[in-house]
């Protein structure tokens, strides 16, 4: 798989140029942990979008690590704690440190 990374305010660009982690999920979604949340890559359109639009739902928008568990939930290590994200429903549960 090949994709180009573009950063900037334009729709479809990566939300931030600081990328800390990249995860390919069990169903082949590409997620990037950035200083401005979690971006998801759409291979068909060659564009990025924010997985969680409202950054206030996250414990912190600075995401340093992302992992997927056996149930398909996303676990995000943030500057302020750990967040559990249901990728399908976008529901977020916070675990502060």
């Amino acid at each position: 798989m090949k994709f180009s990374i573009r950063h900037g305010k334009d729709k479809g660009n990566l939300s931030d140029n600081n990328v800390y982690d990249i995860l390919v999920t069990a169903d082949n979604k590409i997620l990037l942990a950035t200083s401005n949340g979690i971006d998801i890559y759409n291979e068909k359109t060659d564009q990025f979008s924010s997985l969680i639009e409202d950054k206030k739902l996250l414990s912190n928008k600075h995401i340093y690590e992302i992992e997927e568990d056996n149930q398909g939930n996303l676990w995000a290590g943030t500057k302020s704690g750990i967040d559990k994200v249901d990728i399908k429903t976008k529901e977020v549960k916070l675990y502060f440190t």
Side-chain angles (χ1 to χ4, degrees), residues 9-86:
K9 300 285 184 199
D10 294 336
K11 184 177 179 178
N13 286 353
L14 192 62
S15 66
D16 195 274
N17 62 346
N18 292 312
V19 176
Y20 299 105
D21 199 10
I22 299 173
L23 171 72
V24 178
T25 64
D27 58 353
N28 289 319
K29 290 183 176 87
I30 299 174
L31 303 173
L32 293 91
T34 77
S35 290
N36 194 30
I38 303 167
D39 286 357
I40 186 166
Y41 176 69
N42 184 324
E43 188 176 2
K44 292 179 184 175
T45 64
D46 190 34
Q47 294 188 340
F48 296 92
S49 61
S50 183
L51 182 66
I52 306 295
E53 290 294 330
D54 185 357
K55 305 297 186 287
K56 293 177 186 173
L57 295 174
L58 300 168
S59 62
N60 193 295
K61 70 178 185 173
H62 293 269
I63 310 294
Y64 296 115
E65 188 172 356
I66 47 179
E67 293 292 332
E68 182 182 27
D69 66 19
N70 292 337
Q71 289 77 41
N73 295 304
L74 184 66
W75 292 85
T78 77
K79 189 175 183 178
S80 301
I82 298 173
D83 299 348
K84 179 181 174 185
V85 180
D86 183 314

